[in-house]
Amino acid sequence: PRALCYSPNLPTIVTLAVESISVIQAKESTRAALMFLSQLFGWNSLRLSPQTSQVLQEAWNNSSILKEMLVQNGRALTQLCFTGLAGGSQMLWPAYSDCLFAIVQAVVVNHSQEHLNPADKSPAVLNESLVQQWLHSGMVGTLSSSHDATTTMNSETCN
């Protein structure tokens, strides 16, 4: 994980994974990207060796590399997960829900850890309010695109 977390290509890798979820219609590629992102952002809920946990803890807290990746891609990824859950392949629903859960859990755990460390005076960018915005926009975006699709289907059927 150290090579991945401190790679100068990590932003490109994460962006490519997020974009591949929306672009590629291959179920296995989408599942692989969702699992990668779920494990990358939800690492704190996995059973890992102490060395691996330490590397990921450093990348999350000290250098904030993983936090930055989540802040940059969280909104788009949340929207993709809602879209996949609302109209994607049923086979991918577990992967979409795991990814969505990993995002929410990462933010909530981060927010609670920041409150436990009052010595840290850095502004809390990744907080529950931000994830609530992502969840709300994801649901609203999914509902509006679903409504647009229904309206289009109705107008095509009637004409």
Side-chain angles (χ1 to χ4, degrees):
R2 186 177 304 280
L4 176 65
C5 290
Y6 294 101
S7 168
N9 295 323
L10 181 62
T12 304
I13 293 168
V14 171
T15 301
L16 181 62
V18 171
E19 289 176 358
S20 73
I21 294 168
S22 65
V23 175
I24 299 174
Q25 296 301 317
K27 291 179 178 124
E28 292 306 315
S29 302
T30 302
R31 182 193 332 272
L34 286 165
M35 288 175 59
F36 167 71
L37 294 167
S38 296
Q39 291 178 1
L40 184 66
F41 297 132
W43 63 270
N44 57 0
S45 66
L46 301 174
R47 291 184 192 176
L48 302 170
S49 69
Q51 298 86 354
T52 302
S53 292
Q54 181 181 0
V55 168
L56 292 168
Q57 186 75 36
E58 290 170 4
W60 182 263
N61 287 327
N62 300 345
S63 65
S64 297
I65 294 167
L66 296 179
K67 282 183 192 177
E68 290 173 23
M69 294 300 98
L70 186 53
V71 168
Q72 291 172 9
N73 297 285
R75 175 181 229 105
L77 189 54
T78 302
Q79 176 67 50
L80 289 169
C81 288
F82 274 113
T83 302
L85 288 167
S89 168
Q90 272 187 320
M91 188 174 92
L92 295 173
W93 286 357
Y96 282 118
S97 61
D98 286 348
C99 191
L100 194 57
F101 179 79
I103 292 168
V104 172
Q105 181 188 33
V107 173
V108 170
V109 168
N110 173 69
H111 188 68
S112 64
Q113 286 176 349
E114 285 179 350
H115 282 293
L116 293 176
N117 186 7
D120 184 13
K121 299 295 184 198
S122 62
V125 175
L126 195 59
N127 57 42
E128 290 180 27
S129 155
L130 180 63
V131 82
Q132 287 173 352
Q133 290 173 1
W134 293 346
L135 293 170
H136 182 264
S137 69
M139 287 186 283
V140 169
T142 301
L143 288 173
S144 67
S145 65
S146 162
H147 175 62
D148 293 344
T150 303
T151 304
T152 303
M153 285 179 15
N154 287 340
S155 67
E156 289 174 0
T157 305
C158 293
N159 293 331

